[in-house]
Amino acid sequence: MASALAARMGFNSLMRKQARSFNVRICTMESDMEFSCEVKWKGKDLFDLVCRTLGLRETWFFGLQYDIKDTVAWLKMEKKVLDQEVPKEEPITLHFLAKFYPENAEEELVQDITQHLFFLQVKKKILEEEIHCPPEASVLLASYAVHAKYGDYDPNVHKPGFLAEEELLPKRVINLYQMTAEMWEERITACYAEHRGRTRDEAEMEYLKIAQDLDMYGVNYFLIRNKKGTDLLLGVDALGLHIYEPDNKLTPKCSFPWNEIRNISYSDKEFTIKPLDKKTNVFKFNSSRLRVNKLILQLCIGNHDLFMRRRRVDSLEVQQMKAQAREERARKQVERQHLQREKQLREEAERARDELERRLIQLQDEAHMANEALLRSEQTADLLAEKAQIAEEEAKLLAQKAAEAETEMQRIKVTAIRSQEERRLMEQKMLEAEMLALKMAEESERRAKEAEQLKQDLQEAKESERRAKHKLLEITSRAVYASPGLPPDSMPPDLSFSRENLSFDFKDTDMKRLSMEIEKEKVEYMEKSKHLQEQLNELKTEIESLKLKERETPLDIIHNQNTEQGTSKHSNFKKLTLQSTKSRVAFFEEL
């Protein structure tokens, strides 16, 4: 059966070579691409085609990876694609990934596309827990990932629940705390809101600057054995080779920087490393398979070349790329400043419009109130006029009654002489009549005064009505001038954001000013680092009380111990490399 399978695979390989082309699917971190390749193409031909398609010039960080049995391999550049152990079925599936990592992402990554591809790959490794990330750093990294996707935080747009479908935290971190999805979103959003004003590229770079300080960032691990047969882990990264215990991928037991290594070779499963110090013995280790040794050697050569390249003067190509990147960043900075200025002008215009609308509504309310006051004044004037008329009629009636009483008194006086008794009675009646007449006269006078007062009130009401009409006329004229038909210079009709308005000429003074700003940013770096550490400590303090200690993984425990001891990735590397190479080799062999 094995011979039949080998014969069939050989037949398929032969048929593929006889064909003029073959199909390849390239899987990137964002999308998949398919190419039709010629049979004679080497790995470099295919790799260059992918890089040109992506617009990528920093090709030295990347490679084409494929799965082979229970491990992975990288496509060799100098060898034909079909002569390598790539998958036999078409289309051939290859993964375009970062093969080597920079020591300092901010200084080494020039192109935006390079930075974006690294961001996506590192984010994926953190979420899949291939890179151990403490909880507080996971929250901060998630906030930068959200900013890179959604832009500036806007509470009117980014309402609670907008991150419900996003995968932002490793499952290990989520399970480690008694926190709901809403609680995690609240903390991520609080950090996200602080990043306002950053572009997508800046948010991705901040993500990489935090991630590159994680202990497992950029490290490829391989299971090895020393001369004693002790199981160990070999870590290969941008700084050198590191030896770990199998259950601790965070803290290496010893390290060998690339500048201390003279030669690396392997024979079958045995790997040999010769230190730069010739007095120091070579140290050897064994790996599980020959194929793993080939992979280790590829990574060592590539990382060593990049290590030495960083410490030499940049090539003309890299200098040109960095100059173009600086010009592009300067152009984007100026463009962003102009956009912010236009946005500010638009916001000011909108605020002015809102203020005018508010003032117009206020004037309309005042006019409405004045109309109501005028209506009430007219009603009051009509009522007072009616009361005055009634008072005049009552006064006339009282005057008529007083005249009748006077007539009756005269008649009584004429008839009073008839008798003394009658006179006495008549005198009494006359006295009563006089008192009644006096009362009626007083009442008549009072009614007359009341009528006069009502006339005065009526006059005042008419005067109030006249003033109310004058005020209404004044308010109406003011409302006309404050109406939405504003003069052209009060509020711009529609601000244009077309790219024609964003073309600028760079002068020497502009470049000098931008250079000074860049220097200023470098000076502020230490303050930002301090702020970042404070932010991480604050996040850790907030969620520490909700941690479930029994769910901590061994790497979590090791990370906490390192934090308590003040041990970081860089400080530990520096400490280990202070020892002599000879003592480190001896230590490795004694493990």
Side-chain angles (χ1 to χ4, degrees):
M1 183 176 178
S3 60
L5 178 61
R8 186 166 65 253
M9 291 176 62
F11 176 75
N12 291 339
S13 177
L14 179 62
M15 292 298 293
R16 183 181 290 170
K17 289 182 179 180
Q18 289 177 351
R20 293 185 177 181
S21 63
F22 60 94
N23 296 323
V24 178
R25 177 186 292 117
I26 304 296
C27 301
T28 68
M29 297 305 299
E30 276 193 308
S31 61
D32 296 347
M33 302 179 289
E34 288 201 12
F35 300 98
S36 178
C37 307
E38 297 181 15
V39 173
K40 63 180 181 180
W41 275 16
K42 295 182 178 180
K44 180 171 174 44
D45 298 320
L46 177 58
F47 181 73
D48 290 344
L49 176 61
V50 176
C51 291
R52 285 197 304 271
T53 304
L54 293 173
L56 180 70
R57 296 180 63 185
E58 295 173 279
T59 58
W60 46 85
F61 290 114
F62 298 90
L64 293 172
Q65 187 187 85
Y66 57 91
D67 298 324
I68 176 170
K69 294 185 179 180
D70 55 348
T71 184
V72 296
W74 295 90
L75 196 69
K76 296 180 177 62
M77 297 292 108
E78 70 283 354
K79 196 173 180 181
K80 286 185 179 181
V81 176
L82 296 182
D83 289 344
Q84 303 184 47
E85 297 179 295
V86 295
K88 303 305 178 183
E89 66 278 358
E90 287 197 27
I92 299 172
T93 301
L94 303 174
H95 299 273
F96 187 83
L97 296 171
K99 186 176 181 180
F100 308 107
Y101 288 76
E103 290 182 32
N104 189 318
E106 189 173 24
E107 292 182 2
E108 294 183 47
L109 302 184
V110 179
Q111 285 187 286
D112 292 341
I113 180 64
T114 311
Q115 173 183 304
H116 184 59
L117 291 173
F118 267 100
F119 163 74
L120 294 176
Q121 184 165 332
V122 172
K123 176 186 171 186
K124 183 173 182 290
K125 283 182 174 290
I126 289 176
L127 293 179
E128 293 179 354
E129 301 183 30
E130 293 182 29
I131 298 176
H132 178 271
C133 185
E136 61 275 11
S138 299
V139 173
L140 190 56
L141 289 174
S143 69
Y144 280 113
V146 171
H147 188 91
K149 181 174 181 178
Y150 292 98
D152 282 342
Y153 173 70
D154 185 349
N156 297 322
V157 177
H158 306 121
K159 297 181 179 179
F162 80 105
L163 298 179
E165 303 299 324
E166 298 287 345
E167 184 183 3
L168 297 171
L169 297 171
K171 291 181 181 179
R172 172 186 58 82
V173 173
I174 296 174
N175 295 332
L176 189 58
Y177 292 86
Q178 289 180 314
M179 294 175 63
T180 63
E182 291 76 15
M183 295 168 70
W184 284 117
E185 180 179 321
E186 181 181 351
R187 279 164 173 77
I188 292 172
T189 305
C191 295
Y192 168 39
E194 296 180 3
H195 307 330
R196 184 175 180 83
R198 298 181 188 272
T199 63
R200 188 197 79 167
D201 297 335
E202 290 172 344
E204 291 181 350
M205 181 52 71
E206 291 298 324
Y207 188 102
L208 291 175
K209 285 162 63 177
I210 297 172
Q212 71 185 3
D213 289 333
L214 299 177
D215 294 308
M216 295 174 64
Y217 168 86
V219 183
N220 292 282
Y221 295 93
F222 301 95
L223 186 63
I224 62 170
R225 288 181 178 175
N226 62 4
K227 287 182 178 181
K228 286 188 172 183
T230 306
D231 288 334
L232 299 168
L233 286 177
L234 172 70
V236 184
D237 69 358
L239 296 175
L241 298 177
H242 314 280
I243 307 300
Y244 301 84
E245 293 179 340
D247 57 350
N248 182 1
K249 292 184 177 182
L250 301 182
T251 311
K253 302 300 291 183
C254 59
S255 296
F256 301 90
W258 292 119
N259 58 348
E260 295 182 3
I261 297 175
R262 175 166 52 95
N263 182 266
I264 302 174
S265 62
Y266 70 89
S267 176
D268 195 17
K269 296 181 180 180
E270 186 179 69
F271 214 93
T272 303
I273 297 177
K274 296 181 180 179
L276 190 64
D277 185 3
K278 295 183 179 181
K279 296 180 181 180
T280 304
N281 295 331
V282 299
F283 64 99
K284 300 179 181 181
F285 58 83
N286 295 316
S287 65
S288 57
R289 293 181 302 278
L290 174 63
R291 186 177 290 109
V292 174
N293 274 349
K294 292 180 180 180
L295 180 56
I296 293 174
L297 184 63
Q298 281 186 17
L299 293 174
C300 288
I301 293 173
N303 277 299
H304 182 271
D305 290 345
L306 286 177
F307 181 87
M308 302 307 295
R309 179 177 181 170
R310 292 183 193 104
R311 285 147 182 83
R312 291 195 297 263
V313 178
D314 290 334
S315 64
L316 291 177
E317 180 187 5
V318 175
Q319 291 180 21
Q320 181 186 13
M321 288 172 56
K322 288 186 176 181
Q324 290 175 351
R326 285 193 296 268
E327 291 175 2
E328 181 67 15
R329 283 195 293 268
R331 186 189 65 79
K332 287 183 178 180
Q333 178 70 16
V334 175
E335 182 177 331
R336 188 159 62 248
Q337 289 176 354
H338 280 263
L339 283 173
Q340 290 176 350
R341 191 176 298 113
E342 287 193 6
K343 183 179 179 181
Q344 183 179 0
L345 291 174
R346 177 179 286 274
E347 290 175 351
E348 290 176 356
E350 289 177 352
R351 285 195 295 271
R353 182 191 63 193
D354 293 342
E355 177 63 22
L356 290 174
E357 289 178 352
R358 187 190 64 79
R359 182 60 181 160
L360 177 61
I361 293 173
Q362 182 181 354
L363 292 173
Q364 289 174 347
D365 291 341
E366 290 181 2
H368 181 67
M369 293 173 62
N371 278 327
E372 290 182 349
L374 177 61
L375 182 61
R376 287 196 298 270
S377 297
E378 290 176 350
Q379 292 174 351
T380 303
D382 293 340
L383 183 61
L384 290 174
E386 184 179 352
K387 286 184 177 181
Q389 184 179 359
I390 293 173
E392 286 180 357
E393 291 177 355
E394 288 180 352
K396 289 179 180 179
L397 183 60
L398 289 174
Q400 183 179 357
K401 286 183 178 181
E404 289 176 357
E406 183 68 24
T407 304
E408 181 66 17
M409 184 181 66
Q410 291 296 330
R411 188 183 65 78
I412 291 172
K413 284 182 180 180
V414 171
T415 57
I417 55 175
R418 293 179 179 176
S419 64
Q420 189 66 27
E421 185 64 25
E422 289 179 353
R423 188 181 295 115
R424 186 181 61 78
L425 292 173
M426 291 302 293
E427 286 178 354
Q428 185 178 357
K429 288 182 179 181
M430 187 174 67
L431 182 60
E432 291 177 356
E434 284 180 353
M435 292 177 65
L436 179 61
L438 181 61
K439 286 182 180 180
M440 287 184 176
E442 289 177 355
E443 182 67 18
S444 175
E445 185 179 354
R446 187 181 65 79
R447 293 287 183 169
K449 288 181 179 179
E450 185 177 348
E452 185 65 27
Q453 182 64 37
L454 287 173
K455 286 180 181 180
Q456 291 180 3
D457 292 344
L458 176 60
Q459 187 66 25
E460 290 177 0
K462 289 180 178 180
E463 181 64 23
S464 297
E465 179 181 355
R466 185 186 64 79
R467 287 196 303 270
K469 286 180 178 179
H470 179 71
K471 184 176 182 181
L472 176 61
L473 180 61
E474 180 184 354
I475 292 174
T476 305
S477 61
R478 287 163 58 192
V480 170
Y481 287 110
S483 64
L486 300 174
D489 57 350
S490 298
M491 183 175 65
D494 189 11
L495 296 178
S496 173
F497 287 87
S498 64
R499 296 192 66 85
E500 287 79 358
N501 295 334
L502 300 176
S503 60
F504 310 104
D505 295 330
F506 291 100
K507 300 180 180 179
D508 292 339
T509 54
D510 295 332
M511 295 307 295
K512 289 179 180 178
R513 178 173 55 80
L514 290 169
S515 299
M516 292 175 65
E517 291 179 359
I518 293 172
E519 290 298 326
K520 183 179 179 181
E521 290 178 359
K522 289 182 179 179
V523 173
E524 294 173 351
Y525 174 75
M526 294 304 295
E527 296 181 1
K528 291 182 179 178
S529 299
K530 184 179 179 181
H531 172 71
L532 173 63
Q533 193 60 43
E534 291 175 352
Q535 196 172 13
L536 290 173
N537 292 336
E538 183 179 349
L539 283 171
K540 184 176 181 180
T541 304
E542 287 180 1
I543 61 178
E544 188 67 23
S545 60
L546 300 172
K547 180 186 286 187
L548 299 172
K549 295 283 187 181
E550 63 275 10
R551 294 184 182 178
E552 285 187 330
T553 65
L555 290 181
D556 289 327
I557 296 172
I558 293 170
H559 173 77
N560 292 336
Q561 291 173 350
N562 290 342
T563 303
E564 291 174 0
Q565 295 170 3
T567 303
S568 67
K569 173 182 179 180
H570 301 289
S571 65
N572 187 63
F573 179 75
K574 186 176 180 181
K575 177 182 176 182
L576 292 175
T577 53
L578 288 175
Q579 303 170 5
S580 67
T581 307
K582 186 175 182 179
S583 63
R584 276 177 276 154
V585 172
F587 179 77
F588 166 72
E589 292 177 348
E590 292 297 324
L591 285 172

